[in-house]
Amino acid sequence: MMENIVFIHGLTGSRRAFKKQIDYFSRKYNTYAYDLLGHGEDRGKKTDFSLDGLVAQLEELYEREGIEKAHLCSISYGCYPSTIFASKYKEKVSSLCYIGGHYNSDSPLTYVLQHFHDNRYNDYPDWLRRYSKDLFPKSGVVDPYALISTKLYYKYGLELHEDVLKKAIEHRLDYDLKADLKQVGVPVLWIMGDHDNLFKSSITDLDEVIPHAFYKEIPHTGHAANMFRPFAFRRMYAEFLQGKQEI
C-alpha cells in the first residue's frame, strides 16, 4: 500500500504550487493538494480565514480521501495548519516538511509583521505593495529571487480579500506555534532558500525547538525554494522520505 503526501501551499498561492512535486512523487505515493481558505473558488471573497477553519480543512481532506496517515509538506504560512494539525492528531502524521517555514520569535520578521499589523496606509493595494517589498528584501546586490517573490506576492495578493493577509499576520503574531513545534515527535525536514534571510531570522533557535529536525538550505533560491529549484528540493525530500539521514 502506498503512503500518502499532502502538500499545503502558502499565502497568495494555490494547489498548483506543488505541481512539479506531485507529478514526480505520485509515482510512488498517493499525493494530495488543495486550496487554502480564501485562495480557491472563494478567492477574493470574504471568508472565515481562521486557524480553526484551516485545520478543519485538512481534517475534511483526510476524511474525504480516506487518509489514515500522511506526510505533510507545506510552504511558508502553510506550516501553521500543518503543525497545529500534527499537534492535534499525532497518529495521523508520518512526517513534516517545511519550506520557508517560520514561527513566532523575536526577529526581524516579527518586526515587519508587527509594523504592517499596526499600519494600514492609504488602501489595501498600497499596504500590500509596501508589505510585499518588505517581506522579501534583497539579500545582496545580485538577488533576483527577492524581486520575483515580491512581484508574485503582490500580484496574487491583490486577488485575495484583504482580510486574508491581515488575519494571517495576526495569527503569526498571536499564536504560539513554537510551543506546538516543540511537541513534534515525527521526523522533520526544514528547508530554506539561502537568500531567504528575513524568514531565516525567525528560526535561529530551530535546533532547540526541534532538535531532531534535518535543516537544509538550497543554494541560489529565495523563499519558495521548491519552486525556484524544484529538482534540488525533489532530491532532498525524496531522500528524507526514504529515511536517508545523510541528506
Side-chain angles (χ1 to χ4, degrees):
M1 182 178 295
M2 293 197 298
E3 294 182 276
N4 306 298
I5 303 177
V6 176
F7 293 100
I8 307 172
H9 69 80
L11 296 169
T12 78
S14 74
R15 68 177 72 185
R16 294 188 300 275
F18 285 103
K19 183 182 183 305
K20 291 184 178 179
Q21 284 75 48
I22 289 175
D23 288 345
Y24 176 78
F25 286 103
S26 60
R27 303 170 190 173
K28 296 183 179 180
Y29 298 85
N30 296 314
T31 57
Y32 307 89
Y34 62 100
D35 294 315
L36 294 179
L37 294 172
H39 290 72
E41 294 181 358
D42 57 352
R43 181 178 286 262
K45 301 176 183 177
K46 190 174 180 62
T47 184
D48 177 26
F49 192 79
S50 65
L51 288 173
D52 286 343
L54 290 165
V55 173
Q57 257 196 311
L58 190 49
E59 294 172 355
E60 291 166 4
L61 175 71
Y62 266 67
E63 182 175 353
R64 183 171 65 251
E65 300 294 344
I67 301 172
E68 294 185 2
K69 196 169 187 178
H71 302 277
L72 301 183
C73 180
S74 58
I75 300 178
S76 193
Y77 176 83
C79 68
Y80 276 75
S82 65
T83 302
I84 298 171
F85 180 89
S87 176
K88 186 176 180 180
Y89 300 109
K90 295 180 175 62
E91 73 284 358
K92 294 186 177 184
V93 178
S94 302
S95 73
L96 289 161
C97 175
Y98 300 107
I99 307 164
H102 51 280
Y103 48 79
N104 50 297
S105 64
D106 184 16
S107 68
L109 174 60
T110 300
Y111 306 154
V112 169
L113 296 174
Q114 189 68 59
H115 175 81
F116 285 95
H117 174 272
D118 298 340
N119 295 276
R120 300 301 180 178
Y121 293 100
N122 298 320
D123 52 26
Y124 179 61
D126 181 38
W127 177 89
L128 179 60
R129 177 179 58 80
R130 297 169 185 264
Y131 181 45
S132 300
K133 184 177 180 180
D134 285 4
L135 206 56
F136 304 105
K138 289 185 177 181
S139 62
V141 177
V142 180
D143 183 5
Y145 317 106
L147 180 61
I148 294 171
S149 295
T150 297
K151 287 185 174 181
L152 291 177
Y153 200 84
Y154 179 70
K155 175 183 178 181
Y156 293 109
L158 283 175
E159 297 179 0
L160 304 179
H161 190 283
E162 63 182 88
D163 284 353
V164 170
L165 295 183
K166 293 177 179 180
K167 285 184 178 179
I169 288 178
E170 293 178 0
H171 299 163
R172 289 181 285 187
L173 290 174
D174 298 338
Y175 188 83
D176 188 5
L177 191 71
K178 186 188 290 189
D180 285 348
L181 287 166
K182 288 181 177 179
Q183 304 304 314
V184 169
V186 298
V188 174
L189 175 62
W190 202 295
I191 294 179
M192 305 294 286
D194 64 339
H195 286 263
D196 196 13
N197 291 328
L198 183 63
F199 284 85
K200 285 194 291 185
S201 74
S202 75
I203 61 168
T204 55
D205 59 346
L206 180 63
D207 58 342
E208 299 174 15
V209 177
I210 314 178
H212 65 279
F214 295 106
Y215 176 81
K216 294 293 174 181
E217 288 189 13
I218 298 181
H220 312 301
T221 54
H223 185 55
N226 68 303
M227 299 179 73
F228 283 111
R229 294 196 61 196
F231 295 108
F233 168 76
R234 187 179 75 185
R235 177 184 60 78
M236 287 184 177
Y237 193 38
E239 292 183 353
F240 169 74
L241 292 172
Q242 294 165 13
K244 297 181 179 179
Q245 300 181 5
E246 67 272 19
I247 62 173

Short mmCIF file of all heavy atoms in Angstrom, two decimals, residues 10-58:
data_model
loop_
_atom_site.label_atom_id
_atom_site.label_comp_id
_atom_site.label_asym_id
_atom_site.label_seq_id
_atom_site.Cartn_x
_atom_site.Cartn_y
_atom_site.Cartn_z
N GLY A 10 1.30 28.14 0.47
CA GLY A 10 1.38 29.30 1.35
C GLY A 10 0.44 30.41 0.92
O GLY A 10 -0.38 30.25 0.01
N LEU A 11 0.55 31.55 1.57
CA LEU A 11 -0.31 32.70 1.29
C LEU A 11 -0.12 33.20 -0.14
O LEU A 11 1.01 33.23 -0.64
CB LEU A 11 -0.01 33.82 2.28
CG LEU A 11 -0.33 33.50 3.75
CD1 LEU A 11 0.25 34.57 4.66
CD2 LEU A 11 -1.84 33.38 3.95
N THR A 12 -1.19 33.58 -0.77
CA THR A 12 -1.31 34.08 -2.15
C THR A 12 -1.12 32.97 -3.18
O THR A 12 -1.28 33.21 -4.36
CB THR A 12 -0.34 35.24 -2.48
OG1 THR A 12 0.98 34.74 -2.72
CG2 THR A 12 -0.32 36.30 -1.38
N GLY A 13 -0.79 31.76 -2.74
CA GLY A 13 -0.53 30.67 -3.67
C GLY A 13 -1.78 29.85 -3.96
O GLY A 13 -2.92 30.27 -3.74
N SER A 14 -1.57 28.65 -4.45
CA SER A 14 -2.66 27.72 -4.75
C SER A 14 -2.09 26.32 -4.77
O SER A 14 -0.88 26.11 -4.63
CB SER A 14 -3.30 28.05 -6.11
OG SER A 14 -2.44 27.64 -7.17
N ARG A 15 -2.96 25.35 -4.98
CA ARG A 15 -2.52 23.96 -5.04
C ARG A 15 -1.50 23.73 -6.15
O ARG A 15 -0.72 22.78 -6.12
CB ARG A 15 -3.73 23.04 -5.25
CG ARG A 15 -4.39 23.20 -6.61
CD ARG A 15 -5.53 22.22 -6.80
NE ARG A 15 -6.68 22.59 -5.99
CZ ARG A 15 -7.77 21.84 -5.90
NH1 ARG A 15 -7.85 20.69 -6.55
NH2 ARG A 15 -8.79 22.24 -5.16
N ARG A 16 -1.49 24.61 -7.15
CA ARG A 16 -0.56 24.47 -8.28
C ARG A 16 0.90 24.70 -7.87
O ARG A 16 1.81 24.38 -8.63
CB ARG A 16 -0.93 25.45 -9.39
CG ARG A 16 -2.28 25.17 -10.03
CD ARG A 16 -2.51 26.05 -11.26
NE ARG A 16 -2.50 27.47 -10.94
CZ ARG A 16 -3.56 28.14 -10.50
NH1 ARG A 16 -4.71 27.53 -10.31
NH2 ARG A 16 -3.48 29.44 -10.26
N ALA A 17 1.11 25.23 -6.68
CA ALA A 17 2.47 25.49 -6.22
C ALA A 17 3.31 24.22 -6.16
O ALA A 17 4.53 24.26 -6.25
CB ALA A 17 2.44 26.16 -4.84
N PHE A 18 2.65 23.06 -6.03
CA PHE A 18 3.36 21.79 -5.90
C PHE A 18 3.19 20.90 -7.13
O PHE A 18 3.40 19.69 -7.05
CB PHE A 18 2.88 21.03 -4.67
CG PHE A 18 3.40 21.59 -3.37
CD1 PHE A 18 2.59 22.38 -2.57
CD2 PHE A 18 4.69 21.34 -2.96
CE1 PHE A 18 3.06 22.88 -1.37
CE2 PHE A 18 5.18 21.84 -1.76
CZ PHE A 18 4.36 22.62 -0.96
N LYS A 19 2.81 21.47 -8.26
CA LYS A 19 2.54 20.66 -9.44
C LYS A 19 3.71 19.77 -9.83
O LYS A 19 3.55 18.57 -10.09
CB LYS A 19 2.16 21.55 -10.63
CG LYS A 19 1.78 20.75 -11.87
CD LYS A 19 1.45 21.63 -13.05
CE LYS A 19 1.00 20.78 -14.24
NZ LYS A 19 1.96 19.73 -14.63
N LYS A 20 4.92 20.33 -9.86
CA LYS A 20 6.09 19.55 -10.26
C LYS A 20 6.39 18.45 -9.26
O LYS A 20 6.81 17.34 -9.63
CB LYS A 20 7.30 20.46 -10.45
CG LYS A 20 7.19 21.38 -11.65
CD LYS A 20 8.44 22.20 -11.84
CE LYS A 20 8.31 23.09 -13.08
NZ LYS A 20 9.52 23.93 -13.30
N GLN A 21 6.18 18.74 -7.97
CA GLN A 21 6.41 17.71 -6.96
C GLN A 21 5.38 16.59 -7.06
O GLN A 21 5.70 15.41 -6.92
CB GLN A 21 6.38 18.34 -5.56
CG GLN A 21 7.62 19.12 -5.19
CD GLN A 21 7.70 20.46 -5.90
OE1 GLN A 21 6.72 21.21 -5.90
NE2 GLN A 21 8.84 20.79 -6.49
N ILE A 22 4.13 16.97 -7.31
CA ILE A 22 3.07 15.96 -7.42
C ILE A 22 3.31 15.08 -8.64
O ILE A 22 3.14 13.86 -8.59
CB ILE A 22 1.69 16.65 -7.49
CG1 ILE A 22 1.34 17.23 -6.10
CG2 ILE A 22 0.62 15.66 -7.94
CD1 ILE A 22 0.07 18.02 -6.07
N ASP A 23 3.71 15.70 -9.75
CA ASP A 23 4.00 14.92 -10.96
C ASP A 23 5.06 13.85 -10.69
O ASP A 23 4.99 12.74 -11.22
CB ASP A 23 4.48 15.84 -12.08
CG ASP A 23 3.37 16.71 -12.65
OD1 ASP A 23 2.19 16.40 -12.39
OD2 ASP A 23 3.68 17.69 -13.35
N TYR A 24 6.03 14.19 -9.86
CA TYR A 24 7.12 13.25 -9.58
C TYR A 24 6.75 12.24 -8.49
O TYR A 24 6.87 11.02 -8.70
CB TYR A 24 8.37 14.03 -9.15
CG TYR A 24 9.53 13.14 -8.75
CD1 TYR A 24 10.31 12.52 -9.71
CD2 TYR A 24 9.82 12.89 -7.40
CE1 TYR A 24 11.37 11.68 -9.35
CE2 TYR A 24 10.86 12.06 -7.03
CZ TYR A 24 11.64 11.46 -8.01
OH TYR A 24 12.67 10.63 -7.66
N PHE A 25 6.27 12.73 -7.35
CA PHE A 25 6.04 11.84 -6.21
C PHE A 25 4.80 10.96 -6.37
O PHE A 25 4.67 9.95 -5.67
CB PHE A 25 5.95 12.66 -4.91
CG PHE A 25 7.29 13.16 -4.44
CD1 PHE A 25 7.64 14.49 -4.63
CD2 PHE A 25 8.19 12.31 -3.83
CE1 PHE A 25 8.88 14.95 -4.21
CE2 PHE A 25 9.43 12.75 -3.41
CZ PHE A 25 9.78 14.09 -3.60
N SER A 26 3.91 11.31 -7.28
CA SER A 26 2.71 10.48 -7.48
C SER A 26 3.04 9.11 -8.06
O SER A 26 2.19 8.21 -8.10
CB SER A 26 1.71 11.20 -8.39
OG SER A 26 2.28 11.45 -9.66
N ARG A 27 4.30 8.93 -8.49
CA ARG A 27 4.71 7.61 -8.99
C ARG A 27 4.82 6.59 -7.87
O ARG A 27 4.60 5.39 -8.08
CB ARG A 27 6.07 7.72 -9.69
CG ARG A 27 6.11 8.72 -10.84
CD ARG A 27 7.53 8.94 -11.31
NE ARG A 27 7.65 10.05 -12.24
CZ ARG A 27 8.80 10.52 -12.70
NH1 ARG A 27 9.94 9.94 -12.32
NH2 ARG A 27 8.82 11.55 -13.52
N LYS A 28 5.15 7.06 -6.68
CA LYS A 28 5.36 6.15 -5.56
C LYS A 28 4.48 6.44 -4.34
O LYS A 28 4.48 5.68 -3.38
CB LYS A 28 6.83 6.19 -5.13
CG LYS A 28 7.80 5.68 -6.19
CD LYS A 28 9.23 5.67 -5.67
CE LYS A 28 10.19 5.14 -6.71
NZ LYS A 28 11.60 5.13 -6.21
N TYR A 29 3.76 7.57 -4.38
CA TYR A 29 2.93 7.96 -3.25
C TYR A 29 1.56 8.41 -3.74
O TYR A 29 1.41 8.86 -4.88
CB TYR A 29 3.57 9.13 -2.48
CG TYR A 29 4.91 8.82 -1.87
CD1 TYR A 29 6.08 8.95 -2.62
CD2 TYR A 29 5.03 8.42 -0.53
CE1 TYR A 29 7.32 8.68 -2.06
CE2 TYR A 29 6.26 8.15 0.03
CZ TYR A 29 7.41 8.27 -0.73
OH TYR A 29 8.65 8.01 -0.18
N ASN A 30 0.59 8.32 -2.86
CA ASN A 30 -0.69 8.97 -3.12
C ASN A 30 -0.50 10.44 -2.75
O ASN A 30 -0.13 10.75 -1.61
CB ASN A 30 -1.80 8.37 -2.26
CG ASN A 30 -2.07 6.91 -2.58
OD1 ASN A 30 -2.16 6.54 -3.75
ND2 ASN A 30 -2.19 6.09 -1.55
N THR A 31 -0.68 11.34 -3.68
CA THR A 31 -0.41 12.76 -3.43
C THR A 31 -1.69 13.58 -3.47
O THR A 31 -2.59 13.34 -4.29
CB THR A 31 0.58 13.32 -4.46
OG1 THR A 31 0.07 13.12 -5.78
CG2 THR A 31 1.94 12.63 -4.33
N TYR A 32 -1.74 14.58 -2.59
CA TYR A 32 -2.92 15.43 -2.49
C TYR A 32 -2.48 16.89 -2.31
O TYR A 32 -1.47 17.18 -1.68
CB TYR A 32 -3.79 15.03 -1.29
CG TYR A 32 -4.17 13.56 -1.27
CD1 TYR A 32 -3.34 12.62 -0.64
CD2 TYR A 32 -5.33 13.12 -1.89
CE1 TYR A 32 -3.67 11.27 -0.63
CE2 TYR A 32 -5.67 11.77 -1.88
CZ TYR A 32 -4.84 10.86 -1.25
OH TYR A 32 -5.17 9.52 -1.24
N ALA A 33 -3.27 17.79 -2.86
CA ALA A 33 -3.06 19.22 -2.67
C ALA A 33 -4.43 19.89 -2.72
O ALA A 33 -5.36 19.38 -3.37
CB ALA A 33 -2.15 19.80 -3.75
N TYR A 34 -4.56 20.99 -2.05
CA TYR A 34 -5.84 21.69 -2.02
C TYR A 34 -5.59 23.19 -1.84
O TYR A 34 -4.48 23.61 -1.51
CB TYR A 34 -6.72 21.16 -0.88
CG TYR A 34 -6.13 21.38 0.50
CD1 TYR A 34 -6.56 22.44 1.31
CD2 TYR A 34 -5.15 20.53 1.02
CE1 TYR A 34 -6.03 22.63 2.57
CE2 TYR A 34 -4.61 20.72 2.28
CZ TYR A 34 -5.05 21.78 3.05
OH TYR A 34 -4.50 21.98 4.30
N ASP A 35 -6.61 23.99 -2.08
CA ASP A 35 -6.51 25.44 -1.93
C ASP A 35 -6.93 25.84 -0.52
O ASP A 35 -8.02 25.46 -0.06
CB ASP A 35 -7.41 26.16 -2.94
CG ASP A 35 -6.96 25.94 -4.38
OD1 ASP A 35 -5.75 26.04 -4.63
OD2 ASP A 35 -7.81 25.66 -5.23
N LEU A 36 -6.09 26.61 0.13
CA LEU A 36 -6.44 27.11 1.45
C LEU A 36 -7.67 28.01 1.37
O LEU A 36 -8.01 28.54 0.30
CB LEU A 36 -5.27 27.91 2.04
CG LEU A 36 -3.99 27.14 2.38
CD1 LEU A 36 -2.94 28.11 2.92
CD2 LEU A 36 -4.26 26.03 3.39
N LEU A 37 -8.32 28.21 2.48
CA LEU A 37 -9.48 29.11 2.54
C LEU A 37 -9.12 30.46 1.92
O LEU A 37 -8.02 30.99 2.15
CB LEU A 37 -9.90 29.32 3.99
CG LEU A 37 -10.45 28.10 4.75
CD1 LEU A 37 -10.63 28.44 6.22
CD2 LEU A 37 -11.77 27.65 4.14
N GLY A 38 -10.01 30.99 1.11
CA GLY A 38 -9.78 32.29 0.51
C GLY A 38 -8.87 32.28 -0.70
O GLY A 38 -8.61 33.34 -1.28
N HIS A 39 -8.38 31.10 -1.09
CA HIS A 39 -7.41 31.00 -2.19
C HIS A 39 -7.91 30.19 -3.39
O HIS A 39 -7.23 30.11 -4.41
CB HIS A 39 -6.11 30.36 -1.69
CG HIS A 39 -5.32 31.22 -0.77
ND1 HIS A 39 -5.71 31.48 0.53
CD2 HIS A 39 -4.15 31.89 -0.95
CE1 HIS A 39 -4.80 32.26 1.10
NE2 HIS A 39 -3.86 32.53 0.24
N GLY A 40 -9.05 29.56 -3.26
CA GLY A 40 -9.56 28.72 -4.34
C GLY A 40 -10.76 29.34 -5.01
O GLY A 40 -10.70 30.48 -5.48
N GLU A 41 -11.87 28.62 -5.04
CA GLU A 41 -13.09 29.15 -5.64
C GLU A 41 -13.61 30.36 -4.88
O GLU A 41 -14.37 31.17 -5.42
CB GLU A 41 -14.16 28.05 -5.71
CG GLU A 41 -13.80 26.91 -6.65
CD GLU A 41 -14.88 25.86 -6.72
OE1 GLU A 41 -15.90 26.01 -5.99
OE2 GLU A 41 -14.74 24.89 -7.48
N ASP A 42 -13.21 30.48 -3.62
CA ASP A 42 -13.63 31.62 -2.80
C ASP A 42 -12.60 32.75 -2.83
O ASP A 42 -12.67 33.69 -2.04
CB ASP A 42 -13.88 31.18 -1.36
CG ASP A 42 -12.65 30.53 -0.72
OD1 ASP A 42 -11.65 30.28 -1.44
OD2 ASP A 42 -12.68 30.25 0.50
N ARG A 43 -11.63 32.68 -3.75
CA ARG A 43 -10.60 33.72 -3.86
C ARG A 43 -11.26 35.08 -4.09
O ARG A 43 -12.10 35.25 -4.98
CB ARG A 43 -9.66 33.39 -5.02
CG ARG A 43 -8.53 34.40 -5.22
CD ARG A 43 -7.62 33.97 -6.37
NE ARG A 43 -6.78 32.85 -5.98
CZ ARG A 43 -5.52 32.96 -5.57
NH1 ARG A 43 -4.96 34.14 -5.50
NH2 ARG A 43 -4.83 31.90 -5.26
N GLY A 44 -10.88 36.06 -3.30
CA GLY A 44 -11.42 37.40 -3.43
C GLY A 44 -12.66 37.64 -2.60
O GLY A 44 -13.09 38.79 -2.44
N LYS A 45 -13.23 36.56 -2.07
CA LYS A 45 -14.45 36.70 -1.27
C LYS A 45 -14.09 36.72 0.22
O LYS A 45 -13.09 36.16 0.64
CB LYS A 45 -15.39 35.53 -1.54
CG LYS A 45 -15.82 35.41 -3.00
CD LYS A 45 -16.67 34.18 -3.21
CE LYS A 45 -17.06 34.02 -4.69
NZ LYS A 45 -17.84 32.78 -4.91
N LYS A 46 -14.92 37.36 1.00
CA LYS A 46 -14.71 37.38 2.44
C LYS A 46 -14.99 36.00 2.99
O LYS A 46 -16.03 35.39 2.68
CB LYS A 46 -15.64 38.40 3.10
CG LYS A 46 -15.31 38.68 4.57
CD LYS A 46 -16.16 39.80 5.11
CE LYS A 46 -15.85 40.09 6.57
NZ LYS A 46 -14.43 40.53 6.75
N THR A 47 -14.08 35.46 3.76
CA THR A 47 -14.23 34.11 4.28
C THR A 47 -13.74 34.05 5.72
O THR A 47 -13.06 34.97 6.19
CB THR A 47 -13.40 33.11 3.42
OG1 THR A 47 -13.64 31.78 3.88
CG2 THR A 47 -11.92 33.42 3.50
N ASP A 48 -14.08 32.99 6.40
CA ASP A 48 -13.63 32.82 7.78
C ASP A 48 -12.21 32.28 7.78
O ASP A 48 -11.98 31.09 7.98
CB ASP A 48 -14.57 31.86 8.53
CG ASP A 48 -14.10 31.60 9.96
OD1 ASP A 48 -13.41 32.47 10.52
OD2 ASP A 48 -14.43 30.53 10.50
N PHE A 49 -11.25 33.17 7.54
CA PHE A 49 -9.85 32.75 7.47
C PHE A 49 -9.30 32.68 8.90
O PHE A 49 -8.68 33.61 9.41
CB PHE A 49 -9.04 33.73 6.63
CG PHE A 49 -7.66 33.23 6.28
CD1 PHE A 49 -7.48 32.31 5.25
CD2 PHE A 49 -6.55 33.65 6.98
CE1 PHE A 49 -6.22 31.82 4.93
CE2 PHE A 49 -5.29 33.18 6.67
CZ PHE A 49 -5.12 32.27 5.65
N SER A 50 -9.56 31.56 9.53
CA SER A 50 -9.12 31.35 10.91
C SER A 50 -8.26 30.09 10.98
O SER A 50 -8.33 29.23 10.10
CB SER A 50 -10.32 31.19 11.84
OG SER A 50 -11.05 30.01 11.50
N LEU A 51 -7.46 29.98 12.03
CA LEU A 51 -6.64 28.79 12.18
C LEU A 51 -7.52 27.56 12.38
O LEU A 51 -7.22 26.48 11.86
CB LEU A 51 -5.67 28.97 13.35
CG LEU A 51 -4.52 29.95 13.11
CD1 LEU A 51 -3.73 30.18 14.39
CD2 LEU A 51 -3.61 29.46 12.00
N ASP A 52 -8.61 27.71 13.12
CA ASP A 52 -9.53 26.59 13.31
C ASP A 52 -10.10 26.14 11.97
O ASP A 52 -10.22 24.95 11.69
CB ASP A 52 -10.67 26.98 14.24
CG ASP A 52 -10.24 27.06 15.70
OD1 ASP A 52 -9.17 26.51 16.03
OD2 ASP A 52 -10.97 27.67 16.50
N GLY A 53 -10.46 27.12 11.13
CA GLY A 53 -11.01 26.80 9.83
C GLY A 53 -10.00 26.12 8.93
O GLY A 53 -10.32 25.19 8.18
N LEU A 54 -8.74 26.56 8.98
CA LEU A 54 -7.69 25.98 8.15
C LEU A 54 -7.37 24.55 8.57
O LEU A 54 -7.13 23.68 7.74
CB LEU A 54 -6.43 26.85 8.24
CG LEU A 54 -6.55 28.22 7.56
CD1 LEU A 54 -5.41 29.13 8.01
CD2 LEU A 54 -6.55 28.07 6.05
N VAL A 55 -7.37 24.31 9.88
CA VAL A 55 -7.13 22.95 10.37
C VAL A 55 -8.32 22.05 10.02
O VAL A 55 -8.14 20.88 9.63
CB VAL A 55 -6.89 22.96 11.90
CG1 VAL A 55 -6.81 21.53 12.43
CG2 VAL A 55 -5.60 23.71 12.23
N ALA A 56 -9.52 22.60 10.10
CA ALA A 56 -10.72 21.84 9.74
C ALA A 56 -10.68 21.44 8.27
O ALA A 56 -11.13 20.34 7.90
CB ALA A 56 -11.97 22.65 10.04
N GLN A 57 -10.12 22.30 7.43
CA GLN A 57 -9.97 21.97 6.01
C GLN A 57 -9.14 20.71 5.82
O GLN A 57 -9.48 19.84 5.02
CB GLN A 57 -9.25 23.12 5.29
CG GLN A 57 -10.11 24.02 4.47
CD GLN A 57 -9.27 24.85 3.52
OE1 GLN A 57 -8.28 25.48 3.91
NE2 GLN A 57 -9.64 24.84 2.26
N LEU A 58 -8.04 20.64 6.55
CA LEU A 58 -7.16 19.48 6.45
C LEU A 58 -7.85 18.23 7.00
O LEU A 58 -7.71 17.13 6.45
CB LEU A 58 -5.85 19.76 7.20
CG LEU A 58 -4.71 18.78 7.03
CD1 LEU A 58 -4.45 18.45 5.57
CD2 LEU A 58 -3.43 19.36 7.68
#
